[in-house]
Structure formats: C-alpha cells, structure tokens
Amino acid sequence: MPLDKNFDFQSAEARLYEAWERSGAFKPSGEGEPFTIVIPPPNVTGSLHMGHALNNTLQDILCRFERMRGKSVLWQPGTDHAGIATQMVVERQLMEKQEPSRREMGREAFVERVWKWRHESGGTIINQLKRLGASCDWSRERFTMGEDGSADDQMVKAVMKVFVDLYNEGLVYRDKRLVNWDPKFETAISDLEVENQEVDGHMWHFKYPLAGGETYEYVEKDEDGNVTLRETRDYISIATTRPETMLGDGAVAVHPSDERYAPIVGKLCEIPVGPKEHRRLIPIITDDYPDPDFGSGAVKITGGHDFNDYQVAKRHNIPMYRLMDMKGAMRDDGAPYAEEAEKAQKLVKKGGEPDASYVDGINLVPDEYRGLDRFEARKRVIADIDAEGLMIEVEDKKIMQPFGDRSGVVIEPMLTDQWYVDAKTLAKPAIEAVETGKTKFVPENWTKTYYQWMNNIEPWCVSRQLWWGHRIPAWYGVAIGKEPNPQIESFQDLLRQKLPEVKTFVAESEDEAVQQAQQYFGPEYAVELVDWTGHEGHLLAEKVLEISGDYTVLLAQDADVLDTWFSSALWPFSTLGWPEKTDELKKHYPTSVLVTAFDIIFFWVARMMMQGVHFMKDVPFHTVYIHALVLDEHGQKMSKSKGNVIDPLVLIDKYGADALRFTLAAQAAQGRNVRLAESRVEGYRNFSTKLWNAARFCEMNECKPDPNFDPTKAKLTLNQWIVHEANQCAADVTREIEAYRFNDAAGAIYKFIWNVFCDWHLELAKPILMGEDEAAKAETRAATAWALDRILVLLHPFMPYMTEELWGAISKREQPLIVTPWPNIPVTVEAGIGKAEAGGFAPAVETTNWIIDLITKIRSVRQEMNVPAAAKIPLVFVGGSDNDKKRLVENDVILKRLARLSEISTADAAPKGAVQVVHAGAVAALPVADFIDIAAEKARLAKEKDKTEKEVAGIDKKLANKNFVDKAPKEVVEEQHVRRANYVEQLEKIDAALARLKGL
C-alpha cells in the first residue's frame, strides 16, 4: 500500500503507542547491561507543562537510544502524592460541591476522599506523558504513597523504615525552630513553595527610648572622618517593614565597628509599644549581622519572626517569642499582658540560654491587640507609636515579600515544633561521592551549586501540618492514675500538663508502638489508642476523653505528615522494591542518569544522594544531567500572569509530538535556556514532512530495502559517498547523545537528512534512477533505501512516531523500529572528534564532496549576482588537475542540471567578463556579463549596502549606550549582538559581489 501524501500523526500516534506497549518494548529485556532512569515523579495533581515536555523528551531520547544499543533499559515511572497541592485540590472540590469541610468530616473520612480522587482523577499527567511518546515501563508505575496507603504497602514500608532507622541513629529529632509558615493552609512549607515577590511597601522608622532616660552623644562622620552630625540622643533609631513583630523583640543589635553606638552597647532600651507601665526593656548588643551603612545601622532582633534575626538570637541566647497563632492572627492565649511581660523581663535579668518551651508559652501581645489579624495589628501598632511621638518617618519603598506559591498569602516565619533530619551529617558522604567522581554533574558547573548548598546545609524540616501524606510514625504516650482529674478534658490538656512525663515512641507500625509503650510503662497499664487532628503545638484533641478507672496509658500518633520530599528522596531505591532485596534492586541500582532541572538540585537531587548513600551504601545515580529552562521566544519565563504560557498539548494537537520533541531537543544546548516559539515547532514539522516526501520519492522509484545489499561493497561513487556520510552521521549522533549534547545530536541528524540525503543524494541519484544502466539503478535503489533506513534508526529517539510509521510502511520488518539495533560504526579520532572510517570509499567521498562544493559555489555566485534562475550560463574551469578534468567529464550531466550550466569547458585563463571562484586550488570562471545588467546590479547592491550599514550603525549606537546594556534584559542585549553579526555577514557578501562586478 503506497504511502499517504502526508503523515497523519493524529491517528497514528495513539495506534503506534498502543502497539509499543502491547509488544512489551518498554520493559527491560535481554542480557545487555542495565540502563536505568527514574522519572522525576510529577505531582499527581499536575498536567503536562513545557518543563515536563523538555525533561521527559530528553529522558526518552536516552532510553530509546540505549534500548536500540541493546541495553536492558528500565525507565521507572511514577507520581508524587504532592501533599499540600493534593489536599488543596480536594478541599476546593468539597467547597464547590458544598459538602462538609475537611475538619467537619474528620481525618479518616477526608483521607479516604483523597484516595478516591487519586484513583479517579490522579492519572492525568501519566496519559499526557504517553502522548509525548514517553517509553516508560508503565507496568512498574509507582506512587510515593503506595497503592492504597496501607501499612503493608512496600512504598509505605520504605518510608517508615527510613524514618525509624534515622531516628534510632540519632539523625531524626524533634526541635523548635523557625520555619516558613503558611497561615492559610496552617502548615510549614519548604523554600521551594515560597515565591518572593517585589511589592510596594513601607519602611517605618521608630525611636526605641533608652532605659531610665539615659542619653549619649550620637556622631556621624563622612568617609574622610569629618563630623557631619553631632547631637544628644535618648533613643536608638530602628527601621522595620513589619511593625507588628516589634512586640516580640529580644534585643537591638549594632555592628561591633559602629562607633556611633559604642557608648550604649550593653545598655537597655524600651520597646515603644504596649501599655506604658509594662514596657519591656531589651539589651543593645553587637553582632556582625547589622550593616552600618544601611538605614540607621541598628537592627531589632525578633528571633521568632525573622530568619536572619533567628541566627543572631541563637548566637546570643536571646529569647524568641511567638506572637501569632497558626492562622496568622495575634495570639490571644495565656495570662494578661502585664504578667507575661514580667516573665519576659525576668528572662532578660536572668540571662543564659532560655528554655524554648517556656518562652513559647509567653504571650507578649498586649491585651488590646490580641486576636487581631496580623495586618490589622500592624495598623494599630503604627498608630499607637505615632500618637506617642516615637515615629521618626515612613519611607515608601519596594520590598521583597514571601508568598505561598499555592495559597497566595504572605508567608510568616514561625517558631514551631517540627521533626528534623540531621542533614549536615548525611551530607558529608554525599559530598564526598561527587568529589571522588562517583556521581558527576553535566554541565559540570552545577557541581559548584551542589557543593555550595551541601556545605552550608541546615537541618531539614520534614514534618507538615497536613492530613494527606505519610503520617509521621511517632506516638506520644502518657500514663494516667486511677483518680480522674476534673481539669483534664482532652488528650491535649493531658500532654500540656504532664509534658515532662510524655514518652515518645517511634515505630514502623501502630502495633510496634503499642508494644514499645507496654514495655516502657509496665504490664499493669492498659494502652488505649487515641487520635487527634489539627494542631496547636501539634497536639489538639479530636475528642474529649473520659478518664477514669484503672491505670491507663493514652497513646496517640503524631498528627503531622512527612514532607513530600522525604518520600521522593527514596525514589531511586524504593521504586525498585527496597527494603526487600529484589532482583530489580540488584540489577538496576545504582541508576544510570538522572535528568532534572537546576531548581531542585537541593530539594531532590541532594536528598536522594544523602539517602541513597546512607541506606544503599552507594550513589543513586552515576550522572546528573541538568537541563535548562524553557522560556518564551523573547527569553521571558512563562507565566499565566504574563499570558505567555505555551501548552505542549496544544502544540502536539497542532503539529504532532515528533515536531515538539525535535524542537526541544534541537534547542537543548548545555547551559543555555530554551527559547520556544510556535514557529520553530512548525518548522520542524516541515522538516518531518520533507523526510516523509523523501520516503515517498524512494517508494515511487522502487528504492526498497534489499537484504542482499552490503553497504561496504557499494561500487558507484555516489553510493559509496552516501554510505560514508550515513556512517559519519551515526558516529556524530552517537557521540553527542553519549555526551548529553542533545542539540548537537539533533543538529547532526537534521543536517544529514535535509542537506545530505534530500538536497544532494536524491538529486544526484535521479539521473541514475532515470538512466538505462540496470546494475547502477539496482545498487542506487538499494543504497538509497539503506540510507533511508539508517535515517529512521538515527532519528527514532527524537521523532519516534513518524519513524516507526515509515519503518513499517516501507517494508515488511522482523521487528519494530523501537527495538532495531543501533548502528555500531568504527571510528578514528581526529582532533578529539570521532570520524567514521572511510576505508576504500575515501576517493568517492572526496569526489562527491568536490562536486557538491562546486555546485554550491556556482549557485551562490548566481544568487549574489542576481543571475536569472532560468538562465543557463557556461562554466570555464581554469587550472584544474587531470583528476579535476576527469571529474568534470564524469559528472557533466549532474553539473549542468544542478548548477544550471549551458556548457562546461577547460582553459588556461579565465575569459573576459567572467566571475571567478576559487575551488580546490583551481578557478571556476562564470561569464555572466551577458546575463545581468551590471550597472543596475551595482546600484542595487550599493543601495543594499547602505541600508545594511545603517542597521549596523543603529545597533552599535544602542550597544554603546551603557544604560541600555546595563538595564535591558540579558536576552535583549544578546539578540542585538546576534542581529549585528548577521548584518556584518550580509555586508561581507555584498562587498564580495561588488568586487566581482568591478572585475567584469
């Protein structure tokens, strides 16, 4: 059945993909060495975006390439449970359907509802990856929460074992530290989930009066030491963008070298807010953190609400007070402000390291602000300070403000009790693994980023105040006596009152936790399991317990769940069956390469390195390939707000998956962002159309694969040349994919298909195919079909659908293209580049390239001199060797046909009025004077030159403007340099054409 006029990708893609899956081609097979990639698990809530498209296209290229090279390829797929994102999706669904809220239905019912959503709607992105052509082994698909979240699920067991083992090794612990807190979702979130945005804000400058009305000489000097200001002050000036946090100040810090404040270091100052009779006094200290040249040079230290202040407070044992509740409102618990302020003042007098739990219980919010939203409290604080005359000024300015990427609310640094991993200890062997070369980064410069993060790593907060996720396997037990306590109404009250007596049990299962509790408290105690939900210090009772009767141990599991990154850090070995010693784990760990983006080197790559080295005693992957970002055609990051998001599925619907894949690969240069324009995708769709048409030409000319054709024994010059060129292309594509230079690999196959095969081989073959020499026709048909087959093999990793379709349509095959062997080409290395061995074909290669180069030069002259396309001009070859003259005679028909020549002759000198072109040491003279209007051409070229020179001058003026170069986006400046280079190249051609005209 003849090929259709065009490739119908819309009907073919689903059919071909189903056939691949049905054949088992995606599963590891054969005895070849293993090649393994674990997919960066997309969020179960997600849909395919352009970053996914690039990432998975590159992975698929590698997998298809290595599969064809005979390796046992496992591309391990799966999705991430995406704690906060998934919980948000389901909660929104409940609200839209006007169903009971999460808290109304309770934890167990809500989690069941999430599982239902996951099974019904959580596979969207997997189906979209299949549309892209991703050849994962879908029979091994994994989910970070397991199939149903049960304790018996292997993926769940892996997470529980890692947590418990790390706890028992002292590498997991509970601590009160500062975290990013999302007041809308009421949970800690990671840095990756925080978006820092520049917004219009204010900087308020306030006076902090010195205690007891003390004064000092405040002196400012210029750079030369000259006094510019001297005055007596009874205050120190403080600036803040968040006045509501002043209530929790623990100190004021100045730089040790700042002479202005030297007289008052060690003294106390007054926080200018709250009831006057209960104003707190805080010390003035020195620390390297304040910048003497920024603002007043004095910084208030609010360790409980600022990450920089937190570090200063830790260094100086400054109490850190929590001012807000979990919803971002000012606290309204505790004793009246007067009593709480007195407790805080005693801590200042006492000194030493304060007890964090005791400090956290102190509520320093004045009574009149309690329960207010934080931003309403800010207004009240500012108004009250201003009314007292202690405001110096308000400065309007742009500030960077952190927002939750999903909630959209301002993130609050918050002191909370969380679970932490001792990342610093785990990082050491992970750093060493990269230093010793066990794992390498490509491009290599990302190694520095890895080291920078790992060498400065902080404890990893792994707990989240959500209901969807792996619940932390820690249980809290407390013993109750026989007599009931009327003041204890809930488990929360019990824990609050008997905190020192609470025992923590960390276990892989509930049964094991009960056994630990029974063993610890003794056989006379009955263990009763209770549950709670929500969080208030993470311990809010779900139900009121009736406490009476025999000795009882109340045991409740921690309400928090683990950070999503905790389970995904185990991905390279948990997906292979760990903690069981499976055959897959033995065969495919360590994995071969990880393909990912730079923004999760710390959040995911580093954590996989830490966990893999720790638990598997080996690195999780040998290579980490970091790809760039996909930007729009102007170099701007895609965002919904800008309206420049390009949907990969829309492009697939319009141009086919192959065109999108090739576009992304062709632009995936190491260290350079991808600029995506729809026109590029359309262009590569046209490229695939050109190949399809070339295949139709081959079909019409009976160029069918011949099993008896031996490419190494081709006799005709043209066929020897195309065999060598195809082998060179195979060597180039192989080398570039192995080096992760996907753009160069795509460029090599593109050039071979478009320029070598379509533009030259098929054109050069036409006279033979239309000739009378049957032997020559037969060999050329076989060689052309062989070259087309080679093209389909080399192009398949990039454009799998069309190549598979052509492979099956051209001839009856023993096996599909996806598992057809990759060519193994003997190469020699010249100047560091692998060259396909030409062997006895070297003369044919040289001759054919000589002919092609000559035709190209003649065509170029014709275009530059504006010779009419229909005009046939003579060629006079001057000074050529006998071999050159022989080539001219043997290729007379081809030269006349492709270069539009009327005749070809040789001479000792160029005729008058001829344009001369140097060719391989000889001269090709083209008498064109009779075919063009020389005067008109000179005028045309002069006008074109003037226009081009003005373009260059305009760009030079722009690039000479320092304001433009410094302020314009990098991409815009780069674009100007590219435009200038193009114009300069154009000028060189115009000058060459003018020089030729002068010689006529």
Side-chain angles (χ1 to χ4, degrees):
M1 186 176 176
L3 287 171
D4 292 335
K5 187 175 181 181
N6 295 300
F7 173 49
D8 183 5
F9 64 84
Q10 290 175 327
S11 65
E13 288 177 353
R15 167 172 49 81
L16 291 170
Y17 197 91
E18 183 183 355
W20 286 329
E21 272 203 284
R22 194 169 57 247
S23 71
F26 297 166
K27 296 183 179 181
S29 60
E31 299 300 320
E33 67 174 282
F35 178 83
T36 312
I37 292 181
V38 290
I39 196 172
N43 285 354
V44 69
T45 58
S47 58
L48 192 71
H49 59 61
M50 205 55 77
H52 290 136
L54 172 64
N55 179 273
N56 287 278
T57 292
L58 300 183
Q59 290 179 82
D60 195 48
I61 288 171
L62 290 171
C63 288
R64 290 178 183 270
F65 170 66
E66 297 294 5
R67 189 181 290 120
M68 296 171 85
R69 293 217 289 180
K71 293 184 180 179
S72 183
V73 173
L74 170 59
W75 186 5
Q76 174 62 55
T79 50
D80 190 281
H81 64 275
I84 195 168
T86 306
Q87 183 162 313
M88 182 178 73
V89 166
V90 177
E91 286 200 74
R92 185 187 299 131
Q93 191 179 77
L94 294 174
M95 184 174 64
E96 290 171 353
K97 294 182 177 181
Q98 296 184 332
E99 296 184 64
S101 69
R102 168 170 66 99
R103 295 193 184 280
E104 287 171 337
M105 67 169 53
R107 183 173 194 140
E108 185 176 344
F110 177 76
V111 171
E112 285 181 6
R113 183 60 176 266
V114 180
W115 275 111
K116 181 182 178 185
W117 174 89
R118 188 258 167 175
H119 292 307
E120 292 176 352
S121 309
T124 300
I125 194 165
I126 295 300
N127 293 325
Q128 293 170 341
L129 288 172
K130 290 181 179 181
R131 289 201 60 195
L132 187 67
S135 58
C136 303
D137 182 359
W138 298 110
S139 68
R140 292 190 49 79
E141 185 182 342
R142 297 291 184 267
F143 185 52
T144 49
M145 282 279 287
E147 284 309 303
D148 56 9
S150 70
D152 295 329
D153 190 287
Q154 172 262 320
M155 293 292 285
V156 176
K157 285 182 177 179
V159 174
M160 297 300 106
K161 178 173 173 56
V162 165
F163 186 92
V164 173
D165 285 0
L166 290 175
Y167 177 82
N168 291 333
E169 295 170 35
L171 297 173
V172 160
Y173 58 92
R174 193 165 167 81
D175 194 12
K176 187 182 293 293
R177 294 174 61 88
L178 206 61
V179 296
N180 295 308
W181 187 264
D182 189 314
K184 179 176 179 179
F185 294 129
E186 299 182 55
T187 180
I189 61 174
S190 70
D191 289 343
L192 193 65
E193 295 164 303
V194 176
E195 289 183 348
N196 289 299
Q197 301 175 19
E198 188 177 66
V199 298
D200 292 327
H202 306 282
M203 179 77 81
W204 287 272
H205 297 257
F206 300 120
K207 294 179 179 180
Y208 277 44
L210 297 182
E214 284 201 46
T215 61
Y216 69 106
E217 285 294 298
Y218 177 82
V219 179
E220 289 186 359
K221 299 179 181 178
D222 60 20
E223 293 180 358
D224 298 324
N226 300 313
V227 175
T228 57
L229 174 67
R230 182 190 297 273
E231 64 181 16
T232 300
R233 287 186 176 180
D234 60 357
Y235 67 89
I236 185 168
S237 174
I238 301 298
T240 180
T241 59
R242 301 160 68 212
E244 71 279 7
T245 64
M246 295 166 59
L247 302 165
D249 287 353
V252 169
V254 297
H255 196 273
S257 65
D258 198 332
E259 296 178 356
R260 294 172 296 177
Y261 302 114
I264 57 173
V265 169
K267 296 185 181 295
L268 299 176
C269 61
E270 181 183 280
I271 300 174
V273 65
K276 185 68 176 173
E277 64 274 20
H278 301 297
R279 290 279 168 87
R280 286 198 302 120
L281 299 177
I282 56 175
I284 299 171
I285 64 171
T286 60
D287 191 88
D288 290 335
Y289 167 61
D291 180 358
D293 297 322
F294 181 77
S296 69
V299 180
K300 72 186 195 67
I301 303 302
T302 318
H305 287 275
D306 182 275
F307 285 100
N308 291 318
D309 293 1
Y310 176 76
Q311 297 297 336
V312 177
K314 281 175 60 178
R315 287 195 288 271
H316 296 274
N317 292 326
I318 296 170
M320 292 184 270
Y321 304 101
R322 179 173 58 86
L323 299 171
M324 300 173 198
D325 64 18
M326 303 304 127
K327 296 179 188 251
M330 308 308 287
R331 287 173 59 177
D332 62 358
D333 62 310
Y337 177 75
E339 295 178 29
E340 301 286 53
E342 187 178 350
K343 294 177 188 175
Q345 205 60 57
K346 287 180 179 177
L347 289 175
V348 174
K349 295 176 182 177
K350 180 180 178 183
E353 185 174 353
D355 179 83
S357 296
Y358 175 75
V359 172
D360 190 65
I362 299 175
N363 180 2
L364 290 179
V365 179
D367 301 327
E368 63 269 27
Y369 302 147
R370 292 189 177 188
L372 293 177
D373 176 80
R374 53 187 164 156
F375 300 117
E376 178 60 30
R378 176 181 298 177
K379 295 176 184 176
R380 295 276 294 273
V381 167
I382 293 167
D384 289 348
I385 296 177
D386 190 28
E388 199 170 323
L390 295 176
M391 182 187 291
I392 299 172
E393 64 172 322
V394 183
E395 180 185 354
D396 295 335
K397 64 177 296 181
K398 296 283 186 180
I399 61 172
M400 294 303 295
Q401 201 161 45
F403 289 86
D405 64 347
R406 291 186 177 88
S407 67
V409 303
V410 177
I411 295 304
E412 189 68 39
M414 187 81 76
L415 269 178
T416 61
D417 291 299
Q418 304 283 352
W419 286 92
Y420 290 88
V421 170
D422 181 358
K424 196 170 189 66
T425 299
L426 290 176
K428 291 176 183 176
I431 293 170
E432 184 182 353
V434 175
E435 289 175 337
T436 57
K438 286 185 177 181
T439 295
K440 67 175 182 177
F441 282 80
V442 178
E444 194 274 335
N445 61 287
W446 288 111
T447 306
K448 296 178 182 176
T449 303
Y450 175 80
Y451 288 149
Q452 182 180 1
W453 280 335
M454 294 291 271
N455 287 320
N456 297 285
I457 200 165
E458 290 287 325
W460 172 17
C461 176
V462 295
S463 48
R464 297 290 182 267
Q465 290 63 59
L466 304 170
W467 288 358
W468 173 244
H470 289 281
R471 195 162 175 181
I472 289 177
W475 283 259
Y476 303 104
V478 61
I480 307 168
K482 285 186 175 180
E483 296 301 321
N485 186 336
Q487 294 182 340
I488 297 177
E489 295 183 338
S490 68
F491 187 67
Q492 169 68 16
D493 292 331
L494 189 66
L495 290 175
R496 189 180 286 129
Q497 292 191 27
K498 305 186 73 169
L499 196 61
E501 300 169 33
V502 174
K503 175 65 178 174
T504 302
F505 304 99
V506 175
E508 292 183 37
S509 68
E510 185 179 272
D511 289 344
E512 188 179 329
V514 171
Q515 291 175 12
Q516 288 184 21
Q518 193 77 67
Q519 185 177 2
Y520 178 82
F521 287 103
E524 68 273 22
Y525 282 88
V527 176
E528 181 180 340
L529 282 163
V530 294
D531 196 12
W532 69 82
T533 187
H535 48 74
E536 181 186 309
H538 307 304
L539 304 171
L540 180 66
E542 184 181 50
K543 60 182 180 178
V544 174
L545 300 172
E546 295 179 0
I547 304 170
S548 62
D550 299 329
Y551 285 102
T552 303
V553 170
L554 297 182
L555 189 67
Q557 188 175 357
D558 197 303
D560 292 353
V561 299
L562 285 164
D563 174 18
T564 299
W565 295 104
F566 189 89
S567 49
S568 60
L570 321 180
W571 194 245
F573 54 92
S574 65
T575 52
L576 297 176
W578 189 91
E580 300 298 324
K581 296 180 180 178
T582 63
D583 292 338
E584 291 83 2
L585 191 66
K586 182 179 179 181
K587 180 179 179 180
H588 291 284
Y589 190 94
T591 65
S592 306
V593 58
L594 178 75
V595 179
T596 189
F598 72 90
D599 56 345
I600 55 173
I601 290 177
F602 175 69
F603 290 97
W604 190 45
V605 179
R607 287 164 179 173
M608 284 190 289
M609 287 289 291
M610 290 189 285
Q611 301 287 40
V613 172
H614 187 78
F615 285 96
M616 299 298 297
K617 310 307 177 189
D618 201 350
V619 295
F621 21 71
H622 297 303
T623 302
V624 180
Y625 174 76
I626 303 294
H627 63 73
L629 299 175
V630 184
L631 309 175
D632 71 8
E633 60 185 307
H634 305 294
Q636 298 295 311
K637 192 172 181 180
M638 294 185 193
S639 71
K640 291 180 181 178
S641 61
K642 292 179 182 177
N644 64 343
V645 173
I646 304 175
D647 187 340
L649 296 172
V650 171
L651 295 180
I652 290 174
D653 287 338
K654 193 170 183 179
Y655 302 107
D658 286 336
L660 175 61
R661 287 168 60 109
F662 200 89
T663 303
L664 294 169
Q667 294 188 265
Q670 291 183 11
R672 191 187 312 158
N673 288 331
V674 174
R675 288 192 183 188
L676 187 69
E678 185 173 338
S679 59
R680 285 184 176 270
V681 183
E682 183 180 17
Y684 286 119
R685 190 276 313 275
N686 296 341
F687 162 64
S688 66
T689 300
K690 188 175 182 73
L691 177 58
W692 185 269
N693 289 335
R696 293 182 70 228
F697 171 87
C698 293
E699 181 184 58
M700 287 186 287
N701 285 275
E702 300 179 49
C703 301
K704 295 181 179 180
D706 182 352
N708 298 315
F709 175 69
D710 184 351
T712 65
K713 296 179 180 178
K715 296 177 181 177
L716 297 184
T717 296
L718 174 63
N719 297 332
Q720 291 180 351
W721 172 76
I722 194 61
V723 167
H724 173 266
E725 290 298 311
N727 285 340
Q728 182 59 57
C729 178
D732 291 343
V733 173
T734 302
R735 179 187 67 247
E736 302 303 350
I737 294 180
E738 286 179 335
Y740 306 100
R741 291 190 289 264
F742 297 99
N743 63 311
D744 291 330
I749 186 64
Y750 179 94
K751 180 181 177 184
F752 177 71
I753 293 171
W754 192 289
N755 302 112
V756 177
F757 185 73
C758 294
D759 285 357
W760 289 111
H761 175 73
L762 295 184
E763 290 300 319
L764 295 171
K766 283 178 182 177
I768 301 174
L769 295 174
M770 292 187 292
E772 302 298 327
D773 188 334
E774 293 301 324
K777 286 167 70 173
E779 183 186 279
T780 302
R781 282 170 176 159
T784 301
W786 175 88
L788 179 59
D789 271 8
R790 182 57 54 89
I791 283 171
L792 297 180
V793 170
L794 298 177
L795 184 61
H796 179 74
F798 301 88
M799 289 185 157
Y801 288 113
M802 188 190 69
T803 53
E804 188 73 81
E805 183 82 342
L806 283 174
W807 182 259
I810 287 172
S811 178
K812 189 175 181 180
R813 310 287 186 173
E814 293 182 1
Q815 55 190 359
L817 179 57
I818 190 173
V819 291
T820 294
W822 188 265
N824 185 18
I825 307 301
V827 297
T828 55
V829 178
E830 299 176 16
I833 299 177
K835 297 288 185 181
E837 296 177 1
F841 291 175
V845 173
E846 185 181 344
T847 293
T848 306
N849 287 337
W850 187 91
I851 295 297
I852 290 172
D853 190 35
L854 178 58
I855 294 171
T856 302
K857 287 177 177 176
I858 293 171
R859 287 176 171 175
S860 179
V861 167
R862 291 178 65 112
Q863 185 178 11
E864 288 175 10
M865 306 303 292
N866 211 22
V867 175
K872 292 186 177 182
I873 61 176
L875 166 66
V876 181
F877 208 77
V878 181
S881 64
D882 290 341
N883 193 37
D884 290 342
K885 293 173 184 177
K886 180 183 176 184
R887 288 169 174 168
L888 291 171
V889 172
E890 290 177 345
N891 295 279
D892 179 83
V893 175
I894 286 292
L895 285 168
K896 287 179 178 177
R897 182 169 176 270
L898 298 184
R900 303 292 293 166
L901 300 175
S902 57
E903 59 180 303
I904 301 173
S905 61
T906 59
D908 295 330
K912 208 170 182 183
V915 174
Q916 300 179 40
V917 180
V918 177
H919 178 63
V923 173
L926 301 167
V928 298
D930 295 338
F931 299 91
I932 61 173
D933 184 333
I934 296 176
E937 278 305 302
K938 284 183 178 179
R940 181 183 69 81
L941 289 170
K943 184 177 180 181
E944 188 68 25
K945 181 178 180 178
D946 180 63
K947 179 183 176 183
T948 307
E949 286 176 338
K950 286 179 179 177
E951 293 284 358
V952 172
I955 293 173
D956 285 344
K957 184 177 180 181
K958 192 175 286 187
L959 292 175
N961 185 334
K962 193 172 184 303
N963 284 335
F964 170 76
V965 174
D966 291 344
K967 295 180 180 179
K970 181 182 177 183
E971 296 80 12
V972 173
V973 177
E974 182 183 332
E975 184 180 357
Q976 293 300 313
H977 282 291
V978 172
R979 289 183 64 230
R980 188 184 189 283
N982 291 337
Y983 282 127
V984 168
E985 183 181 354
Q986 193 175 331
L987 272 176
E988 291 172 353
K989 291 181 179 179
I990 294 171
D991 287 338
L994 284 169
R996 290 191 181 106
L997 285 172
K998 288 179 182 177
L1000 296 181

